[in-house]
Amino acid sequence: MSNRFKNLFLTSIFLLGISATLQAKIVDRVVAKVNEDIITLSDLKREAKVLKVENPGRFGKMDINSRSALNFFLDQLISTILIKRELQKTGRDITDKEVNAAYESIKKKNHMSDKKFEEYLKQHDLTVKEYRLALKQRIERIRFFNIVIK
């Protein structure tokens, strides 16, 4: 009887393990690979949220889940990755100091404290970390185009 109980116990543990595995959810997915860089769906959504915050007139009403919007944001991120790599090759990549200065400038221009700015970003479903990453990407884009134009 104890052997039977042991088998039943082990079988139930095994079935619980399988059940837990089957209930796992996909949290994110890869939508593109640019050289060694991966672009995920959450990267696209972050890009969309930041653009909506930065330019509500152009992107405010855009459905970020539509195929055309996702393709647009994918194109943006692909060019961002290529620009970043090119800046790194030439030794002109963006430093944290530059991102910090730009971040502080934006807060100052909008008359916001750290807390107020964080709340503003939270209302738009963004974290400070996500916004700072997007800000760095914008600075990279500006630097790249300045180099190309000169």
PDB file of all heavy atoms in Angstrom, residues 89-123:
ATOM      1  N   LYS A  89      31.119  52.859 -33.941  1.00  0.00           N
ATOM      2  CA  LYS A  89      32.283  52.611 -34.798  1.00  0.00           C
ATOM      3  C   LYS A  89      33.190  53.833 -34.870  1.00  0.00           C
ATOM      4  O   LYS A  89      34.409  53.708 -34.924  1.00  0.00           O
ATOM      5  CB  LYS A  89      31.850  52.256 -36.228  1.00  0.00           C
ATOM      6  CG  LYS A  89      31.413  50.848 -36.434  1.00  0.00           C
ATOM      7  CD  LYS A  89      31.155  50.654 -37.917  1.00  0.00           C
ATOM      8  CE  LYS A  89      30.104  49.626 -38.159  1.00  0.00           C
ATOM      9  NZ  LYS A  89      29.716  49.564 -39.581  1.00  0.00           N
ATOM     10  N   THR A  90      32.579  55.006 -34.901  1.00  0.00           N
ATOM     11  CA  THR A  90      33.352  56.241 -35.046  1.00  0.00           C
ATOM     12  C   THR A  90      33.751  56.835 -33.698  1.00  0.00           C
ATOM     13  O   THR A  90      34.379  57.894 -33.666  1.00  0.00           O
ATOM     14  CB  THR A  90      32.550  57.290 -35.854  1.00  0.00           C
ATOM     15  OG1 THR A  90      31.345  57.604 -35.139  1.00  0.00           O
ATOM     16  CG2 THR A  90      32.220  56.787 -37.245  1.00  0.00           C
ATOM     17  N   GLY A  91      33.364  56.187 -32.606  1.00  0.00           N
ATOM     18  CA  GLY A  91      33.721  56.679 -31.277  1.00  0.00           C
ATOM     19  C   GLY A  91      32.929  57.904 -30.855  1.00  0.00           C
ATOM     20  O   GLY A  91      33.359  58.669 -30.005  1.00  0.00           O
ATOM     21  N   ARG A  92      31.779  58.089 -31.447  1.00  0.00           N
ATOM     22  CA  ARG A  92      30.943  59.266 -31.141  1.00  0.00           C
ATOM     23  C   ARG A  92      29.632  58.876 -30.465  1.00  0.00           C
ATOM     24  O   ARG A  92      28.634  59.582 -30.597  1.00  0.00           O
ATOM     25  CB  ARG A  92      30.656  60.033 -32.418  1.00  0.00           C
ATOM     26  CG  ARG A  92      31.911  60.621 -33.028  1.00  0.00           C
ATOM     27  CD  ARG A  92      31.579  61.390 -34.255  1.00  0.00           C
ATOM     28  NE  ARG A  92      32.770  62.046 -34.758  1.00  0.00           N
ATOM     29  CZ  ARG A  92      32.794  62.720 -35.888  1.00  0.00           C
ATOM     30  NH1 ARG A  92      31.712  62.835 -36.617  1.00  0.00           N
ATOM     31  NH2 ARG A  92      33.904  63.278 -36.278  1.00  0.00           N
ATOM     32  N   ASP A  93      29.653  57.759 -29.755  1.00  0.00           N
ATOM     33  CA  ASP A  93      28.417  57.320 -29.105  1.00  0.00           C
ATOM     34  C   ASP A  93      28.050  58.259 -27.949  1.00  0.00           C
ATOM     35  O   ASP A  93      28.865  59.023 -27.460  1.00  0.00           O
ATOM     36  CB  ASP A  93      28.475  55.861 -28.647  1.00  0.00           C
ATOM     37  CG  ASP A  93      29.809  55.438 -28.081  1.00  0.00           C
ATOM     38  OD1 ASP A  93      30.813  56.082 -28.367  1.00  0.00           O
ATOM     39  OD2 ASP A  93      29.829  54.443 -27.347  1.00  0.00           O
ATOM     40  N   ILE A  94      26.809  58.187 -27.549  1.00  0.00           N
ATOM     41  CA  ILE A  94      26.235  59.086 -26.546  1.00  0.00           C
ATOM     42  C   ILE A  94      26.583  58.584 -25.145  1.00  0.00           C
ATOM     43  O   ILE A  94      26.458  57.397 -24.853  1.00  0.00           O
ATOM     44  CB  ILE A  94      24.695  59.152 -26.711  1.00  0.00           C
ATOM     45  CG1 ILE A  94      24.314  59.574 -28.137  1.00  0.00           C
ATOM     46  CG2 ILE A  94      24.062  60.078 -25.684  1.00  0.00           C
ATOM     47  CD1 ILE A  94      24.871  60.894 -28.593  1.00  0.00           C
ATOM     48  N   THR A  95      26.982  59.517 -24.284  1.00  0.00           N
ATOM     49  CA  THR A  95      27.338  59.161 -22.908  1.00  0.00           C
ATOM     50  C   THR A  95      26.136  59.354 -21.980  1.00  0.00           C
ATOM     51  O   THR A  95      25.186  60.075 -22.314  1.00  0.00           O
ATOM     52  CB  THR A  95      28.487  60.042 -22.401  1.00  0.00           C
ATOM     53  OG1 THR A  95      28.031  61.400 -22.335  1.00  0.00           O
ATOM     54  CG2 THR A  95      29.708  59.941 -23.311  1.00  0.00           C
ATOM     55  N   ASP A  96      26.228  58.730 -20.812  1.00  0.00           N
ATOM     56  CA  ASP A  96      25.180  58.916 -19.793  1.00  0.00           C
ATOM     57  C   ASP A  96      25.088  60.377 -19.369  1.00  0.00           C
ATOM     58  O   ASP A  96      24.002  60.875 -19.077  1.00  0.00           O
ATOM     59  CB  ASP A  96      25.451  58.033 -18.575  1.00  0.00           C
ATOM     60  CG  ASP A  96      25.197  56.559 -18.852  1.00  0.00           C
ATOM     61  OD1 ASP A  96      24.470  56.247 -19.820  1.00  0.00           O
ATOM     62  OD2 ASP A  96      25.719  55.715 -18.098  1.00  0.00           O
ATOM     63  N   LYS A  97      26.218  61.051 -19.347  1.00  0.00           N
ATOM     64  CA  LYS A  97      26.249  62.466 -18.969  1.00  0.00           C
ATOM     65  C   LYS A  97      25.387  63.297 -19.922  1.00  0.00           C
ATOM     66  O   LYS A  97      24.645  64.186 -19.496  1.00  0.00           O
ATOM     67  CB  LYS A  97      27.700  62.959 -18.968  1.00  0.00           C
ATOM     68  CG  LYS A  97      27.883  64.350 -18.462  1.00  0.00           C
ATOM     69  CD  LYS A  97      29.369  64.723 -18.426  1.00  0.00           C
ATOM     70  CE  LYS A  97      29.547  66.149 -17.946  1.00  0.00           C
ATOM     71  NZ  LYS A  97      30.956  66.543 -17.908  1.00  0.00           N
ATOM     72  N   GLU A  98      25.478  62.996 -21.214  1.00  0.00           N
ATOM     73  CA  GLU A  98      24.673  63.717 -22.206  1.00  0.00           C
ATOM     74  C   GLU A  98      23.190  63.423 -22.040  1.00  0.00           C
ATOM     75  O   GLU A  98      22.353  64.323 -22.156  1.00  0.00           O
ATOM     76  CB  GLU A  98      25.128  63.342 -23.621  1.00  0.00           C
ATOM     77  CG  GLU A  98      26.509  63.855 -23.966  1.00  0.00           C
ATOM     78  CD  GLU A  98      27.029  63.289 -25.264  1.00  0.00           C
ATOM     79  OE1 GLU A  98      27.239  62.064 -25.335  1.00  0.00           O
ATOM     80  OE2 GLU A  98      27.218  64.082 -26.217  1.00  0.00           O
ATOM     81  N   VAL A  99      22.870  62.181 -21.744  1.00  0.00           N
ATOM     82  CA  VAL A  99      21.465  61.808 -21.524  1.00  0.00           C
ATOM     83  C   VAL A  99      20.945  62.503 -20.267  1.00  0.00           C
ATOM     84  O   VAL A  99      19.832  63.049 -20.279  1.00  0.00           O
ATOM     85  CB  VAL A  99      21.305  60.275 -21.416  1.00  0.00           C
ATOM     86  CG1 VAL A  99      19.868  59.901 -21.080  1.00  0.00           C
ATOM     87  CG2 VAL A  99      21.738  59.599 -22.707  1.00  0.00           C
ATOM     88  N   ASN A 100      21.740  62.515 -19.215  1.00  0.00           N
ATOM     89  CA  ASN A 100      21.338  63.184 -17.980  1.00  0.00           C
ATOM     90  C   ASN A 100      21.062  64.662 -18.216  1.00  0.00           C
ATOM     91  O   ASN A 100      20.068  65.204 -17.719  1.00  0.00           O
ATOM     92  CB  ASN A 100      22.410  63.035 -16.894  1.00  0.00           C
ATOM     93  CG  ASN A 100      22.534  61.622 -16.393  1.00  0.00           C
ATOM     94  OD1 ASN A 100      21.637  60.797 -16.549  1.00  0.00           O
ATOM     95  ND2 ASN A 100      23.679  61.304 -15.803  1.00  0.00           N
ATOM     96  N   ALA A 101      21.950  65.326 -18.971  1.00  0.00           N
ATOM     97  CA  ALA A 101      21.775  66.751 -19.253  1.00  0.00           C
ATOM     98  C   ALA A 101      20.489  67.001 -20.047  1.00  0.00           C
ATOM     99  O   ALA A 101      19.735  67.934 -19.747  1.00  0.00           O
ATOM    100  CB  ALA A 101      22.986  67.284 -20.010  1.00  0.00           C
ATOM    101  N   ALA A 102      20.228  66.166 -21.032  1.00  0.00           N
ATOM    102  CA  ALA A 102      19.011  66.319 -21.836  1.00  0.00           C
ATOM    103  C   ALA A 102      17.763  66.071 -20.996  1.00  0.00           C
ATOM    104  O   ALA A 102      16.773  66.801 -21.097  1.00  0.00           O
ATOM    105  CB  ALA A 102      19.051  65.367 -23.030  1.00  0.00           C
ATOM    106  N   TYR A 103      17.829  65.052 -20.145  1.00  0.00           N
ATOM    107  CA  TYR A 103      16.695  64.718 -19.261  1.00  0.00           C
ATOM    108  C   TYR A 103      16.390  65.893 -18.335  1.00  0.00           C
ATOM    109  O   TYR A 103      15.234  66.295 -18.187  1.00  0.00           O
ATOM    110  CB  TYR A 103      17.042  63.448 -18.478  1.00  0.00           C
ATOM    111  CG  TYR A 103      15.955  62.942 -17.583  1.00  0.00           C
ATOM    112  CD1 TYR A 103      14.882  62.231 -18.104  1.00  0.00           C
ATOM    113  CD2 TYR A 103      16.003  63.154 -16.209  1.00  0.00           C
ATOM    114  CE1 TYR A 103      13.881  61.747 -17.277  1.00  0.00           C
ATOM    115  CE2 TYR A 103      14.997  62.679 -15.377  1.00  0.00           C
ATOM    116  CZ  TYR A 103      13.949  61.978 -15.916  1.00  0.00           C
ATOM    117  OH  TYR A 103      12.948  61.510 -15.106  1.00  0.00           O
ATOM    118  N   GLU A 104      17.428  66.444 -17.722  1.00  0.00           N
ATOM    119  CA  GLU A 104      17.243  67.580 -16.813  1.00  0.00           C
ATOM    120  C   GLU A 104      16.704  68.792 -17.568  1.00  0.00           C
ATOM    121  O   GLU A 104      15.861  69.527 -17.064  1.00  0.00           O
ATOM    122  CB  GLU A 104      18.555  67.920 -16.098  1.00  0.00           C
ATOM    123  CG  GLU A 104      19.017  66.860 -15.113  1.00  0.00           C
ATOM    124  CD  GLU A 104      18.002  66.579 -14.008  1.00  0.00           C
ATOM    125  OE1 GLU A 104      17.350  67.522 -13.510  1.00  0.00           O
ATOM    126  OE2 GLU A 104      17.865  65.381 -13.650  1.00  0.00           O
ATOM    127  N   SER A 105      17.180  69.005 -18.780  1.00  0.00           N
ATOM    128  CA  SER A 105      16.720  70.124 -19.595  1.00  0.00           C
ATOM    129  C   SER A 105      15.225  70.007 -19.922  1.00  0.00           C
ATOM    130  O   SER A 105      14.494  71.001 -19.862  1.00  0.00           O
ATOM    131  CB  SER A 105      17.533  70.178 -20.891  1.00  0.00           C
ATOM    132  OG  SER A 105      17.032  71.154 -21.757  1.00  0.00           O
ATOM    133  N   ILE A 106      14.785  68.805 -20.233  1.00  0.00           N
ATOM    134  CA  ILE A 106      13.366  68.586 -20.548  1.00  0.00           C
ATOM    135  C   ILE A 106      12.503  68.855 -19.321  1.00  0.00           C
ATOM    136  O   ILE A 106      11.459  69.510 -19.414  1.00  0.00           O
ATOM    137  CB  ILE A 106      13.146  67.156 -21.088  1.00  0.00           C
ATOM    138  CG1 ILE A 106      13.760  67.038 -22.481  1.00  0.00           C
ATOM    139  CG2 ILE A 106      11.661  66.795 -21.111  1.00  0.00           C
ATOM    140  CD1 ILE A 106      13.875  65.625 -22.992  1.00  0.00           C
ATOM    141  N   LYS A 107      12.941  68.363 -18.173  1.00  0.00           N
ATOM    142  CA  LYS A 107      12.192  68.618 -16.928  1.00  0.00           C
ATOM    143  C   LYS A 107      12.121  70.115 -16.642  1.00  0.00           C
ATOM    144  O   LYS A 107      11.058  70.641 -16.300  1.00  0.00           O
ATOM    145  CB  LYS A 107      12.835  67.893 -15.747  1.00  0.00           C
ATOM    146  CG  LYS A 107      12.633  66.411 -15.739  1.00  0.00           C
ATOM    147  CD  LYS A 107      13.087  65.746 -14.457  1.00  0.00           C
ATOM    148  CE  LYS A 107      14.311  66.362 -13.877  1.00  0.00           C
ATOM    149  NZ  LYS A 107      14.878  65.693 -12.737  1.00  0.00           N
ATOM    150  N   LYS A 108      13.251  70.781 -16.806  1.00  0.00           N
ATOM    151  CA  LYS A 108      13.312  72.215 -16.516  1.00  0.00           C
ATOM    152  C   LYS A 108      12.416  73.002 -17.477  1.00  0.00           C
ATOM    153  O   LYS A 108      11.678  73.896 -17.066  1.00  0.00           O
ATOM    154  CB  LYS A 108      14.760  72.702 -16.622  1.00  0.00           C
ATOM    155  CG  LYS A 108      14.954  74.129 -16.210  1.00  0.00           C
ATOM    156  CD  LYS A 108      16.423  74.504 -16.266  1.00  0.00           C
ATOM    157  CE  LYS A 108      16.602  75.960 -15.847  1.00  0.00           C
ATOM    158  NZ  LYS A 108      18.017  76.359 -15.885  1.00  0.00           N
ATOM    159  N   LYS A 109      12.493  72.652 -18.766  1.00  0.00           N
ATOM    160  CA  LYS A 109      11.689  73.344 -19.775  1.00  0.00           C
ATOM    161  C   LYS A 109      10.192  73.200 -19.485  1.00  0.00           C
ATOM    162  O   LYS A 109       9.408  74.102 -19.749  1.00  0.00           O
ATOM    163  CB  LYS A 109      11.999  72.778 -21.158  1.00  0.00           C
ATOM    164  CG  LYS A 109      11.355  73.562 -22.290  1.00  0.00           C
ATOM    165  CD  LYS A 109      11.472  72.911 -23.651  1.00  0.00           C
ATOM    166  CE  LYS A 109      12.860  72.521 -24.030  1.00  0.00           C
ATOM    167  NZ  LYS A 109      12.955  71.927 -25.369  1.00  0.00           N
ATOM    168  N   ASN A 110       9.806  72.060 -18.933  1.00  0.00           N
ATOM    169  CA  ASN A 110       8.395  71.799 -18.632  1.00  0.00           C
ATOM    170  C   ASN A 110       8.027  72.119 -17.181  1.00  0.00           C
ATOM    171  O   ASN A 110       6.925  71.797 -16.748  1.00  0.00           O
ATOM    172  CB  ASN A 110       8.071  70.339 -18.954  1.00  0.00           C
ATOM    173  CG  ASN A 110       8.099  70.087 -20.446  1.00  0.00           C
ATOM    174  OD1 ASN A 110       7.273  70.607 -21.177  1.00  0.00           O
ATOM    175  ND2 ASN A 110       9.074  69.315 -20.896  1.00  0.00           N
ATOM    176  N   HIS A 111       8.960  72.720 -16.458  1.00  0.00           N
ATOM    177  CA  HIS A 111       8.741  73.123 -15.058  1.00  0.00           C
ATOM    178  C   HIS A 111       8.251  71.961 -14.201  1.00  0.00           C
ATOM    179  O   HIS A 111       7.250  72.065 -13.494  1.00  0.00           O
ATOM    180  CB  HIS A 111       7.743  74.295 -14.984  1.00  0.00           C
ATOM    181  CG  HIS A 111       8.082  75.416 -15.898  1.00  0.00           C
ATOM    182  ND1 HIS A 111       9.154  76.254 -15.681  1.00  0.00           N
ATOM    183  CD2 HIS A 111       7.509  75.830 -17.059  1.00  0.00           C
ATOM    184  CE1 HIS A 111       9.220  77.139 -16.661  1.00  0.00           C
ATOM    185  NE2 HIS A 111       8.243  76.907 -17.516  1.00  0.00           N
ATOM    186  N   MET A 112       8.960  70.838 -14.272  1.00  0.00           N
ATOM    187  CA  MET A 112       8.568  69.641 -13.525  1.00  0.00           C
ATOM    188  C   MET A 112       9.695  69.180 -12.611  1.00  0.00           C
ATOM    189  O   MET A 112      10.857  69.164 -13.010  1.00  0.00           O
ATOM    190  CB  MET A 112       8.201  68.503 -14.472  1.00  0.00           C
ATOM    191  CG  MET A 112       6.945  68.713 -15.252  1.00  0.00           C
ATOM    192  SD  MET A 112       6.560  67.199 -16.170  1.00  0.00           S
ATOM    193  CE  MET A 112       5.055  67.654 -16.973  1.00  0.00           C
ATOM    194  N   SER A 113       9.314  68.768 -11.424  1.00  0.00           N
ATOM    195  CA  SER A 113      10.264  68.132 -10.508  1.00  0.00           C
ATOM    196  C   SER A 113      10.433  66.677 -10.935  1.00  0.00           C
ATOM    197  O   SER A 113       9.698  66.192 -11.809  1.00  0.00           O
ATOM    198  CB  SER A 113       9.724  68.191  -9.077  1.00  0.00           C
ATOM    199  OG  SER A 113       8.538  67.416  -8.988  1.00  0.00           O
ATOM    200  N   ASP A 114      11.374  65.983 -10.302  1.00  0.00           N
ATOM    201  CA  ASP A 114      11.557  64.557 -10.602  1.00  0.00           C
ATOM    202  C   ASP A 114      10.250  63.808 -10.404  1.00  0.00           C
ATOM    203  O   ASP A 114       9.825  63.032 -11.263  1.00  0.00           O
ATOM    204  CB  ASP A 114      12.639  63.939  -9.692  1.00  0.00           C
ATOM    205  CG  ASP A 114      14.047  64.298 -10.124  1.00  0.00           C
ATOM    206  OD1 ASP A 114      14.251  64.589 -11.317  1.00  0.00           O
ATOM    207  OD2 ASP A 114      14.940  64.276  -9.264  1.00  0.00           O
ATOM    208  N   LYS A 115       9.630  64.046  -9.256  1.00  0.00           N
ATOM    209  CA  LYS A 115       8.397  63.328  -8.917  1.00  0.00           C
ATOM    210  C   LYS A 115       7.270  63.632  -9.909  1.00  0.00           C
ATOM    211  O   LYS A 115       6.573  62.736 -10.363  1.00  0.00           O
ATOM    212  CB  LYS A 115       7.977  63.683  -7.494  1.00  0.00           C
ATOM    213  CG  LYS A 115       6.795  62.893  -6.995  1.00  0.00           C
ATOM    214  CD  LYS A 115       6.504  63.215  -5.541  1.00  0.00           C
ATOM    215  CE  LYS A 115       5.223  62.568  -5.108  1.00  0.00           C
ATOM    216  NZ  LYS A 115       5.386  61.395  -4.312  1.00  0.00           N
ATOM    217  N   LYS A 116       7.120  64.903 -10.257  1.00  0.00           N
ATOM    218  CA  LYS A 116       6.059  65.291 -11.188  1.00  0.00           C
ATOM    219  C   LYS A 116       6.288  64.682 -12.570  1.00  0.00           C
ATOM    220  O   LYS A 116       5.352  64.229 -13.231  1.00  0.00           O
ATOM    221  CB  LYS A 116       6.013  66.808 -11.274  1.00  0.00           C
ATOM    222  CG  LYS A 116       4.705  67.361 -11.711  1.00  0.00           C
ATOM    223  CD  LYS A 116       4.691  68.873 -11.544  1.00  0.00           C
ATOM    224  CE  LYS A 116       3.305  69.396 -11.802  1.00  0.00           C
ATOM    225  NZ  LYS A 116       3.207  70.839 -11.606  1.00  0.00           N
ATOM    226  N   PHE A 117       7.553  64.667 -13.008  1.00  0.00           N
ATOM    227  CA  PHE A 117       7.876  64.095 -14.314  1.00  0.00           C
ATOM    228  C   PHE A 117       7.646  62.593 -14.318  1.00  0.00           C
ATOM    229  O   PHE A 117       7.109  62.044 -15.285  1.00  0.00           O
ATOM    230  CB  PHE A 117       9.312  64.441 -14.714  1.00  0.00           C
ATOM    231  CG  PHE A 117       9.601  64.210 -16.168  1.00  0.00           C
ATOM    232  CD1 PHE A 117       8.928  64.919 -17.147  1.00  0.00           C
ATOM    233  CD2 PHE A 117      10.541  63.282 -16.567  1.00  0.00           C
ATOM    234  CE1 PHE A 117       9.174  64.698 -18.501  1.00  0.00           C
ATOM    235  CE2 PHE A 117      10.804  63.062 -17.912  1.00  0.00           C
ATOM    236  CZ  PHE A 117      10.130  63.772 -18.879  1.00  0.00           C
ATOM    237  N   GLU A 118       8.022  61.922 -13.240  1.00  0.00           N
ATOM    238  CA  GLU A 118       7.772  60.485 -13.119  1.00  0.00           C
ATOM    239  C   GLU A 118       6.276  60.186 -13.183  1.00  0.00           C
ATOM    240  O   GLU A 118       5.856  59.220 -13.826  1.00  0.00           O
ATOM    241  CB  GLU A 118       8.362  59.942 -11.825  1.00  0.00           C
ATOM    242  CG  GLU A 118       9.858  59.793 -11.853  1.00  0.00           C
ATOM    243  CD  GLU A 118      10.429  59.307 -10.531  1.00  0.00           C
ATOM    244  OE1 GLU A 118       9.805  58.442  -9.885  1.00  0.00           O
ATOM    245  OE2 GLU A 118      11.507  59.794 -10.148  1.00  0.00           O
ATOM    246  N   GLU A 119       5.477  61.005 -12.507  1.00  0.00           N
ATOM    247  CA  GLU A 119       4.015  60.825 -12.539  1.00  0.00           C
ATOM    248  C   GLU A 119       3.482  61.029 -13.947  1.00  0.00           C
ATOM    249  O   GLU A 119       2.608  60.285 -14.405  1.00  0.00           O
ATOM    250  CB  GLU A 119       3.345  61.792 -11.569  1.00  0.00           C
ATOM    251  CG  GLU A 119       3.551  61.448 -10.119  1.00  0.00           C
ATOM    252  CD  GLU A 119       3.042  62.525  -9.162  1.00  0.00           C
ATOM    253  OE1 GLU A 119       2.409  63.509  -9.627  1.00  0.00           O
ATOM    254  OE2 GLU A 119       3.301  62.387  -7.952  1.00  0.00           O
ATOM    255  N   TYR A 120       4.014  62.046 -14.636  1.00  0.00           N
ATOM    256  CA  TYR A 120       3.603  62.309 -16.013  1.00  0.00           C
ATOM    257  C   TYR A 120       3.903  61.108 -16.901  1.00  0.00           C
ATOM    258  O   TYR A 120       3.057  60.665 -17.695  1.00  0.00           O
ATOM    259  CB  TYR A 120       4.317  63.562 -16.534  1.00  0.00           C
ATOM    260  CG  TYR A 120       4.057  63.848 -17.989  1.00  0.00           C
ATOM    261  CD1 TYR A 120       2.848  64.399 -18.400  1.00  0.00           C
ATOM    262  CD2 TYR A 120       5.016  63.561 -18.960  1.00  0.00           C
ATOM    263  CE1 TYR A 120       2.603  64.661 -19.735  1.00  0.00           C
ATOM    264  CE2 TYR A 120       4.781  63.827 -20.293  1.00  0.00           C
ATOM    265  CZ  TYR A 120       3.574  64.367 -20.679  1.00  0.00           C
ATOM    266  OH  TYR A 120       3.323  64.613 -22.006  1.00  0.00           O
ATOM    267  N   LEU A 121       5.106  60.561 -16.776  1.00  0.00           N
ATOM    268  CA  LEU A 121       5.472  59.393 -17.566  1.00  0.00           C
ATOM    269  C   LEU A 121       4.590  58.201 -17.212  1.00  0.00           C
ATOM    270  O   LEU A 121       4.149  57.463 -18.103  1.00  0.00           O
ATOM    271  CB  LEU A 121       6.953  59.043 -17.355  1.00  0.00           C
ATOM    272  CG  LEU A 121       7.961  60.045 -17.903  1.00  0.00           C
ATOM    273  CD1 LEU A 121       9.371  59.649 -17.511  1.00  0.00           C
ATOM    274  CD2 LEU A 121       7.843  60.176 -19.407  1.00  0.00           C
ATOM    275  N   LYS A 122       4.323  58.023 -15.929  1.00  0.00           N
ATOM    276  CA  LYS A 122       3.485  56.908 -15.470  1.00  0.00           C
ATOM    277  C   LYS A 122       2.081  56.997 -16.074  1.00  0.00           C
ATOM    278  O   LYS A 122       1.495  55.984 -16.445  1.00  0.00           O
ATOM    279  CB  LYS A 122       3.416  56.908 -13.947  1.00  0.00           C
ATOM    280  CG  LYS A 122       2.907  55.637 -13.360  1.00  0.00           C
ATOM    281  CD  LYS A 122       2.977  55.702 -11.843  1.00  0.00           C
ATOM    282  CE  LYS A 122       3.038  54.314 -11.277  1.00  0.00           C
ATOM    283  NZ  LYS A 122       3.178  54.321  -9.824  1.00  0.00           N
ATOM    284  N   GLN A 123       1.561  58.218 -16.196  1.00  0.00           N
ATOM    285  CA  GLN A 123       0.236  58.416 -16.817  1.00  0.00           C
ATOM    286  C   GLN A 123       0.236  57.945 -18.268  1.00  0.00           C
ATOM    287  O   GLN A 123      -0.801  57.570 -18.805  1.00  0.00           O
ATOM    288  CB  GLN A 123      -0.162  59.894 -16.785  1.00  0.00           C
ATOM    289  CG  GLN A 123      -0.512  60.408 -15.426  1.00  0.00           C
ATOM    290  CD  GLN A 123      -0.702  61.924 -15.426  1.00  0.00           C
ATOM    291  OE1 GLN A 123      -0.456  62.596 -16.433  1.00  0.00           O
ATOM    292  NE2 GLN A 123      -1.131  62.453 -14.297  1.00  0.00           N
TER     293      GLN A 123
END
